[in-house]
Amino acid sequence: MTLLLDSFWRAMLDCLRPRVMLLSLAPLLLTAVLSYLLGSLYWDASLAWVRASLEASSIVSLVSGWMQTMGLSGVTAFLAPLIVIFAVMPAVVVLSLLSVALLMTPALTSMVAAKRFPALQRREGGSLALGLIWALFSTLLALLALVISIPLWFIPPLILVLPPLIWGWLTYRVMAFDALASHASHEERRELFRRHRLRLLGIGVFCGYLGAAPSVIWASGVLFAAAFVVLVPLGIWLYTWVFALSSAWFAHYCLAALQALRDERQELKPPVIHALPSDHDARLHPPPDL
């Protein structure tokens, strides 16, 4: 628990540094540009399709008619943007996570290593290609779990548990791998994952709950259309910052755990005893004359 809290506060301080703030602009720009391009291409068509589907629904028509009798109208116009936004939110989350993992995590890990663990040997147990394959495979598994779990979201408590748990698992898999890629060997990484799996998953789930804040901002952008242009980029930046925090947190935690593992193994090594030369060896190999 001490390592968990110590690495959290160190990560918080790192994420408030100007250098880290500047680093977060690269994933933000990438995610914002892609979101803008996809939105300009598909927003109107998606919104029209969702509105048509809602208007064709008998349940929505019943609720809309009941609310109109109470003086409230425009239920379809209110629900359609929310549905579209919550439908594309997983794609934005995954894009933010992968962009941070590729553009920020190596720099943050190098910064943490140089500052706290300058003597920690690099054993290069992972490469960029292996990390990318690992991230894409983990993302596919997380999206599959997300789709399978959608029917359970209609059970009120589970919607507050399942999505953050899935995003937390994905964050833990991607960020922990990247944090150990340069310094740990393949065997060391597997051992650290085995020993610290629950704590690493806890870090990911906690950051998954932090990731709910941008969703609230996006929903506010729908309610306050005049601020939509400002609130949506702010929400995307918050996604980026939350993943940057998790990246720094995993870097501090994993490198400290790796250092502790190597210290433990060094202590368990039997001491090397150098045998003294026997009298027979001394006679065969007399010392040189001085």
Side-chain angles (χ1 to χ4, degrees):
M1 184 61 71
T2 302
L3 177 57
L4 195 67
L5 295 178
D6 177 72
S7 56
F8 172 73
W9 288 114
R10 290 179 183 274
M12 283 290 294
L13 292 176
D14 284 343
C15 285
L16 296 177
R17 297 177 183 273
R19 179 185 175 185
V20 177
M21 291 288 187
L22 290 175
L23 282 174
S24 67
L25 293 179
L28 170 63
L29 291 175
L30 175 62
T31 307
V33 169
L34 290 178
S35 300
Y36 174 77
L37 292 177
L38 292 176
S40 61
L41 292 175
Y42 299 107
W43 174 261
D44 292 335
S46 302
L47 202 59
W49 181 81
V50 171
R51 282 177 179 171
S53 301
L54 290 175
E55 291 172 355
S57 173
S58 57
I59 297 177
V60 175
S61 299
L62 181 63
V63 173
S64 179
W66 175 71
M67 295 188 70
Q68 283 180 1
T69 60
M70 300 178 62
L72 299 174
S73 59
V75 176
T76 303
F78 170 74
L79 287 178
L82 283 179
I83 292 174
V84 174
I85 284 177
F86 283 107
V88 302
M89 211 183 315
V92 176
V93 172
V94 170
L95 183 60
S96 300
L97 173 62
L98 294 180
S99 61
V100 169
L102 292 175
L103 300 176
M104 286 193 68
T105 301
L108 287 174
T109 303
S110 298
M111 183 181 72
V112 172
K115 184 172 63 174
R116 292 189 61 198
F117 309 100
L120 190 63
Q121 182 185 1
R122 291 175 175 262
R123 296 184 179 174
E124 303 293 344
S127 61
L128 179 61
L130 183 60
L132 185 58
I133 294 173
W134 178 274
L136 292 177
F137 179 70
S138 301
T139 300
L140 290 177
L141 291 180
L143 292 177
L144 180 62
L146 198 67
V147 171
I148 294 175
S149 67
I150 286 178
L152 299 176
W153 294 9
F154 295 97
I155 303 174
L158 294 183
I159 195 173
L160 301 176
V161 175
L162 291 179
L165 185 62
I166 294 172
W167 294 131
W169 177 85
L170 176 60
T171 304
Y172 137 66
R173 291 265 298 182
V174 174
M175 295 298 184
F177 183 93
D178 288 342
L180 293 169
S182 298
H183 292 81
S185 65
H186 177 69
E187 185 275 331
E188 287 174 331
R189 185 174 66 247
R190 292 184 62 182
E191 178 65 17
L192 290 174
F193 274 25
R194 185 188 67 83
R195 291 190 182 189
H196 300 272
R197 179 173 286 109
L198 288 180
R199 291 186 179 88
L200 293 173
L201 180 60
I203 296 174
V205 171
F206 180 80
C207 293
Y209 277 105
L210 285 181
S215 305
V216 176
I217 292 178
W218 279 34
S220 302
V222 174
L223 295 176
F224 304 102
F228 186 81
V229 178
V230 176
L231 291 177
V232 170
L234 177 61
I236 295 175
W237 181 81
L238 278 178
Y239 275 127
T240 303
W241 190 86
V242 167
F243 285 129
L245 171 64
S246 65
S247 178
W249 195 354
F250 277 109
H252 280 284
Y253 187 96
C254 290
L255 293 183
L258 177 61
Q259 182 68 67
L261 176 65
R262 290 182 181 175
D263 292 343
E264 173 189 326
R265 290 180 172 181
Q266 188 66 30
E267 292 176 359
L268 293 177
K269 282 184 178 180
V272 179
I273 300 176
H274 298 281
L276 296 175
S278 62
D279 294 339
H280 178 70
D281 293 335
R283 288 193 298 269
L284 292 177
H285 305 283
D289 295 332
L290 300 177

